[in-house]
Each structure stands twice: as structure tokens, then as C-alpha cells.
Amino acid sequence: MKRNALTPYMFLLPGCAILGAFIFYPLLQAIWLSFTDYNMITQPEFIGTENYNELFKDDLFWKTLIQTIIYLIGVVPALIILPIFLAILVNQKIKGIGFFRSAYYIPVVTSWVVVGITWEWVYAEKGVLNYLLEVIGIINGPVHWLTSEQTALFSVMAVTIWKGLGYYMVIYLAGLQSIPSNLYEAAEIDGASKWQQTIRITIPMLMPSIIIVTVMSSIAAMKVFEEIYIMTGGGPLNSSKTLVFYIYQEAFESLNMGYASAAGVVLFIITLVFSILNLKLMGKKENVA
Amino acid sequence: METPVYTKRQTAIAETRPKTKLKTKRTVKNILVYLLLIIVALGMLGPFLWLLSTALKSGHENIFSYPPKFIPESPTLTNFADAMKAFPFWTYLMNSTIVGFLTVLLNVLFCSFAAYPLARMKFKGKNIIFILIISTMMIPFQLLMIPIYILSLDLGLKNTYAGLILPHATTAFGIFLMRQAFITIPYELDESARMDGANSFQIWWRILLPLVKPSMVTLAIFTFVMAWGDFLWPLIILDDQSMYTLPLGLNALTGLFSADWRLIAAGSIISVLPIIIFFLILQRYFIKGATSGAVKG
């Protein structure tokens, strides 16, 4: 029976048209715009690498880049490690465990606007966090979590971690459930303690999930925007501004489209290098396994 | 060779430990587990409960009291009524629902279209097309949003549903997910259907799609939550308040009533309810879905 040679392409057409129009074409245009001066009113004017020269001289660009990296270093390890313990906790076969799994997942489905408002209220000067910490004796007076230069970035980071816990917990949970139980039975018989079983069996067997979580959480950390827009607006004194926030402001508040595109290209290159490194790592692990 | 040793040791353990002692040990362990589960649950839900408590406090009560009061003195629903008056909740809910629903529909359709030949046909350029599709996952939307914004203005998509939906109408994640689902189906099914005279579209629609329903549900749920919570793109493409989705509407409400925390708290609780209900109804698919999407099958 002869098949129409065009059939596969017909099926691919709608999806690829969308990806082409809203990813590949914009990608090329963003790269082109990064070499132009464009303010949305007059036509783009080609200025060579001027935007990049400006960018690398801009202190605020470097500040936001460094803060993005701090964000990455702070958030990613926490989101790799903490959800493992959560997953082990909710993997217990006891009554009512479904309720707890759902409860831990609720921050994931909640929109950033609601989460941001909620935490603004928790972080308030006379809010519940200051009160609790004072009762335990960790702090003496109220801390201005979101409005002081020293704490703003870290306070937002904590919320990013909090909102992500449930998502990665579920990925680990699936990983845990695919570990054959006879491994634990054998270890039990050999007299291995629970802790030894975790270190020797659970963690190594979870390696594929750990790599996935690493890739996903680091790509996500690179794009942090909503939590900052809602909770701090990048302040005080730019102390919680990330690269993506900087791009947003340059593009849509100052209308420096060319300049913002150059910053976007830098973000893209960093993401690309990161992803390739991660994929290499993933490839290696797969070969080992 | 070692088997007898095991049984010996095991029976020895069983004999030395009376059953009741084992039982109390298990109860103690269970109590500890529950305690830990509850502490973590308080950490995850506590912030929302604190917001809810504020939303329930009446106008006479000082919401800035220190130490904070967790239980409202005289709980009231007036803040919720006021919030509903302060922002057109139903309009925003309708916008969010339309955008969420259509984004899901197009995604499920286009992704399962595109995934079919990638999983089950041989054709020229298959590998390169697949690699190109997957590589889009690494391109940050924040780089693209400037050209997409310019493109959307040119196409007249500003302040339209199409403008909100089209940029997210297909995702590499979705195509990948559906391809993984199609690959697992035995190939003989296609062949025998083809013998019976079915064409490719009929095979896709009548035979394959019913078999990949779980993956479609997963894709639908994740797309819906993504579209529902999206903030950055609507913020850019919308400036007409009547087109606002719930997150944007709530954001505008906090800007307008920044001093009135009772109202803001009530508005937040109202706007989070629909997605929480959606989640609670479909929660088993969430747990299943996160895993099938993330772990390479």
C-alpha cells in the first residue's frame, strides 16, 4: 500500500508552525535586534556591537547577573536535596498520606501573584515570621525581610524554594516507587540501618531523578521574574533584581528594545552553556547505568 | 548457601522480640512520622491559613496586632463581599478559563498531531526536526518576549485572547510527552488497521488517541496550570483591564488597595479557590503526570 510522502509533514505542520512563529523566528529577530538601536517608535538602526559594549560597561547589568548566579547557587541545591527528604517522608504507607501529598503540592499550583501576596504578609514587619522567630529567640527585633538590602534577595529565594518543593518531591516520589523493594529487603537482612539504606540504595537509585531535578531547577532559577516583580519590585536599591527583571525593565519600561535584546542574548548563551553541561552529565550517567 | 543463615537469624529475632514490643515500637514510629508530616504541612499551608485568618478579620480588629492573632475575634465574610465589589472577579475568572481551556485544547491537538509521525513514521528530516523541537526547551521565553511582542502588535494581537494563547499553543514538552506515549503502542495495530483500509488520520484518531488518554490528561492538566498562573506574558500583551486574567487582576487590586490588607487577603483567597478545586478533583493525575513527563520513559 502506498503512503502519501507528505503525510508526516501534514501532521507536523500546525505544531511546527507555532514553534516557528513564536520561537525560531523571534530567536533570529532577537539576535538581529541586539545589534540595533530600537525604541518601538523609529525603525531599528544597525549599530554593530554597540549594545554589547554598553552592556559590559553597565554596573547594573553585572549586579543583576551576579544576583542571578547567587539565586542559582542558593536555590538549586536546596531544591535538589530537600524534596528527597520530603519524598521519603510521603512515601510512607500510612493512613492519610494522600492528604499530606496534596497539601505539599498546593503551593505548586497556586499562581505566583497569590504566593507573592501571601508571603509579603508573612514577611511583614509585625507579621507571623518575625513573631515566631522572636519567640524561639533567633531574632531580637523585627527584621525587614523584603525591604532591607541585606535580606531582600534571600527572602525571595526562600519563597522560590518553598513553592518548588512539592513539584520536585513528586518527581522523586516516582523515582522512589520504581526502586525494587527487594534491594531493601536484602539490605535489611544484611543488617544495614535505615540511614545506610538511604545513602547506599535510595540516593544512588534516585540518580536519574536527581539529574532531571538539577536541570529543571537550574533552568527555572535562571528565569526568575514573578516572585521579584510581586514581592520586591527588584528593590531596595536593585538588591533583589535578577537579569530577567533587568531585561523586562529595559524593554518594557525604558523601551530600549535593542539593548534589552543584547542582555537577552547573554541570558540565552548562559542557559545554553548550562544546559549542554547538564546534558553531558546526563549522557555520562546513562552510559554508566 | 547462605539461605539457612538468614532464616536462622530471622527466627532468632522473631523469638527474642515479643509481638507487643514490636507493636509499640511501630506505634511510636508512626506517631513520629505523623508529627513530622504535620509540621511540614503547617510550613506549606501555614502562610495560606495566615492569609485566610486576615481575610476573616472584621474591620474593628487590629490586623497589625503584635503578637499576631491567629483566630479572628469575630469572623466575618464582609471582606470577601467587598473584594468581589472592588474587582470584576467574574470577568477575570471567565478570561482565565477561556485562555486556559483554549490553550489546553490547542496544545493537546497540535502536540499529539506532531508527535504521531515522530513516533511512528519514517520520513526525511525526522531526526533534525525532533532535535529542533527539543532544543526549543533551552531558549528562554524572556529572550523571545521582545520580538514576540513586536510580532503580536503587527498581527493585531494586543489585548486579544489569541494574543494570550497562540505563543503557548504548542510546547516541546508536550510533543515529547505525547511521542513517548505513542512509542509504547505496539506497531502491529497500525499495520492491521492499514490493511483494513484506514488512512493515517483515521489510525491516529480512532486507534492511537484512545490508547494515549492518560498522557493527554497529563498534558492537559500541566498546560492548564501553566496557562492559569502565567503572569509575565499577559502583563506585556494586555493593557485593557477587561481582558485581564486572574493573576493580573489580583495584581491590579493590590496596586489599587495597597493599604487594605483585609481586602487584598480576601481577593487572593477568592482567586486561588478555582485552581485549588481543580487540583483537588484531579490530584491523582498530578502525581502520576509529573512523573511520566519528567522521567524519560
Side-chain angles (χ1 to χ4, degrees):
Chain A
M1 225 159 292
K2 195 178 176 318
R3 283 180 220 172
N4 190 336
L6 281 178
T7 310
Y9 304 103
M10 301 292 283
F11 278 99
L12 280 162
L13 187 65
C16 288
I18 294 283
L19 293 181
F22 293 104
I23 293 183
F24 289 109
Y25 170 69
L27 176 65
L28 295 178
Q29 212 194 354
I31 294 168
W32 149 246
L33 280 176
S34 76
F35 295 103
T36 68
D37 182 18
Y38 184 43
N39 57 9
M40 302 281 302
I41 301 157
T42 50
Q43 284 298 309
E45 184 194 339
F46 184 78
I47 53 167
T49 58
E50 193 54 41
N51 285 328
Y52 292 95
N53 301 342
E54 283 276 308
L55 197 63
F56 296 137
K57 274 187 275 175
D58 185 345
D59 289 339
L60 190 53
F61 165 74
W62 287 109
K63 190 176 167 65
T64 57
L65 183 61
I66 289 167
Q67 277 163 189
T68 305
I69 292 167
I70 294 175
Y71 218 96
L72 204 73
I73 296 171
V75 166
V76 173
L79 282 179
I80 295 171
I81 297 164
L82 295 178
I84 297 183
F85 292 106
L86 274 190
I88 293 174
L89 185 62
V90 299
N91 199 28
Q92 311 283 329
K93 285 174 188 63
I94 54 177
K95 249 187 205 145
I97 198 70
F99 166 79
F100 291 104
R101 281 180 195 169
S102 301
Y104 300 173
Y105 203 80
I106 280 186
V108 179
V109 294
T110 310
S111 75
W112 260 117
V113 180
V114 174
V115 168
I117 290 171
T118 308
W119 276 88
E120 246 182 283
W121 192 225
V122 170
Y123 277 139
E125 191 189 338
K126 291 178 175 178
V128 73
L129 185 69
N130 274 331
Y131 173 70
L132 287 179
L133 292 180
E134 219 172 334
V135 167
I136 314 173
I138 293 178
I139 56 170
N140 282 324
V143 175
H144 301 266
W145 297 103
L146 294 172
T147 49
S148 107
E149 258 190 279
Q150 284 80 40
T151 51
L153 186 68
F154 296 99
S155 304
V156 181
M157 277 162 68
V159 182
T160 306
I161 296 169
W162 176 83
K163 192 179 189 290
L165 286 175
Y167 187 75
Y168 299 113
M169 170 193 84
V170 168
I171 293 177
Y172 284 131
L173 187 61
L176 282 181
Q177 290 176 348
S178 66
I179 300 175
S181 59
N182 55 16
L183 284 181
Y184 293 105
E185 282 156 23
E188 192 100 4
I189 290 161
D190 288 344
S193 70
K194 279 277 177 229
W195 179 248
Q196 282 173 321
Q197 290 178 27
T198 307
I199 295 295
R200 295 275 165 80
I201 302 174
T202 311
I203 304 292
M205 291 298 284
L206 274 184
M207 226 41 208
S209 311
I210 291 175
I211 290 166
I212 286 162
V213 171
T214 309
V215 176
M216 290 172 72
S217 62
S218 46
I219 289 181
M222 213 92 81
K223 301 185 195 175
V224 162
F225 174 82
E226 277 91 345
E227 45 267 64
I228 289 165
Y229 181 92
I230 290 150
M231 285 194 281
T232 68
L237 294 171
N238 300 320
S239 62
S240 63
K241 204 169 275 180
T242 56
L243 189 51
V244 166
F245 199 91
Y246 176 70
I247 296 172
Y248 169 81
Q249 285 191 318
E250 282 297 324
F252 297 99
E253 286 174 12
S254 315
L255 294 182
N256 292 326
M257 294 293 178
Y259 189 68
S261 296
V265 170
V266 173
L267 173 75
F268 174 49
I269 291 168
I270 297 172
T271 316
L272 206 64
V273 170
F274 231 85
S275 307
I276 290 170
L277 278 178
N278 275 324
L279 284 177
K280 277 244 166 81
L281 205 78
M282 225 195 281
K284 257 196 200 134
K285 281 289 170 212
E286 260 175 357
N287 290 343
V288 171
Chain B
M1 231 184 9
E2 283 188 73
T3 333
V5 182
Y6 290 155
T7 36
K8 218 189 209 168
R9 206 191 284 164
Q10 273 184 317
T11 41
I13 289 167
E15 272 162 21
T16 49
R17 267 193 219 155
K19 258 200 177 139
T20 45
K21 207 174 168 190
L22 208 76
K23 218 175 180 183
T24 37
K25 203 183 161 197
R26 193 173 296 154
T27 323
V28 169
K29 193 205 147 199
N30 271 354
I31 290 173
L32 282 177
V33 169
Y34 276 120
L35 207 65
L36 208 55
L37 282 167
I38 290 168
I39 291 171
V40 179
L42 279 178
M44 303 308 272
L45 297 181
F48 294 121
L49 296 177
W50 172 229
L51 195 71
L52 178 65
S53 151
T54 306
L56 290 171
K57 281 175 184 166
S58 69
H60 320 292
E61 198 173 341
N62 178 17
I63 55 168
F64 295 104
S65 68
Y66 200 80
K69 278 214 188 76
F70 296 97
I71 310 291
E73 273 167 18
S74 48
T76 168
L77 292 177
T78 49
N79 296 321
F80 292 95
D82 290 347
M84 296 286 262
K85 264 181 260 162
F87 81 136
F89 170 76
W90 295 110
T91 311
Y92 297 159
L93 179 68
M94 191 188 69
N95 288 337
S96 275
T97 310
I98 291 173
V99 171
F101 185 74
L102 289 177
T103 309
V104 166
L105 191 76
L106 289 182
N107 257 286
V108 171
L109 193 68
F110 290 173
C111 291
S112 44
F113 257 144
Y116 171 42
L118 290 174
R120 309 181 74 84
M121 290 183 191
K122 282 194 190 113
F123 58 93
K124 232 185 183 170
K126 178 172 159 175
N127 279 333
I128 185 86
I129 290 173
F130 186 61
I131 289 168
L132 278 176
I133 289 172
I134 292 302
S135 69
T136 62
M137 286 201 229
M138 291 178 208
I139 305 170
F141 176 75
Q142 285 79 2
L143 166 69
L144 307 175
M145 66 188 176
I146 296 166
I148 296 180
Y149 176 68
I150 297 168
L151 179 71
S152 302
L153 292 190
D154 291 344
L155 295 174
L157 297 178
K158 196 171 185 183
N159 289 321
T160 63
Y161 290 129
L164 285 171
I165 295 160
L166 284 179
H168 298 305
T170 305
T171 58
F173 162 78
I175 295 178
F176 182 73
L177 183 77
M178 294 314 296
R179 177 182 170 268
Q180 296 306 95
F182 282 132
I183 278 181
T184 56
I185 301 170
Y187 204 76
E188 294 78 50
L189 278 178
D190 296 36
E191 288 306 317
S192 61
R194 215 171 281 281
M195 294 288 194
D196 293 340
N199 62 33
S200 296
F201 181 82
Q202 287 166 326
I203 293 173
W204 175 81
W205 175 250
R206 295 234 182 98
I207 295 170
L208 298 178
L209 275 197
L211 291 172
V212 295
K213 250 187 207 151
S215 294
M216 284 166 70
V217 173
T218 300
L219 177 58
I221 288 174
F222 275 78
T223 308
F224 189 78
V225 171
M226 186 273 294
W228 189 272
D230 194 17
F231 183 72
L232 177 57
W233 179 239
L235 182 71
I236 293 169
I237 197 70
L238 299 178
D239 55 21
D240 176 359
Q241 291 229 358
S242 69
M243 289 300 294
Y244 275 11
T245 53
L246 270 176
L248 278 188
L250 185 61
N251 182 51
L253 183 79
T254 62
L256 221 55
F257 297 90
S258 57
D260 193 343
W261 264 97
R262 285 183 194 80
L263 194 76
I264 292 172
S268 305
I269 300 286
I270 297 172
S271 31
V272 82
L273 278 182
I275 196 76
I276 299 278
I277 294 168
F278 176 81
F279 166 65
L280 289 178
I281 294 171
L282 297 171
Q283 52 179 317
R284 64 198 178 98
Y285 294 103
F286 275 89
I287 308 282
K288 245 198 227 155
T291 57
S292 59
V295 184
K296 296 209 275 176

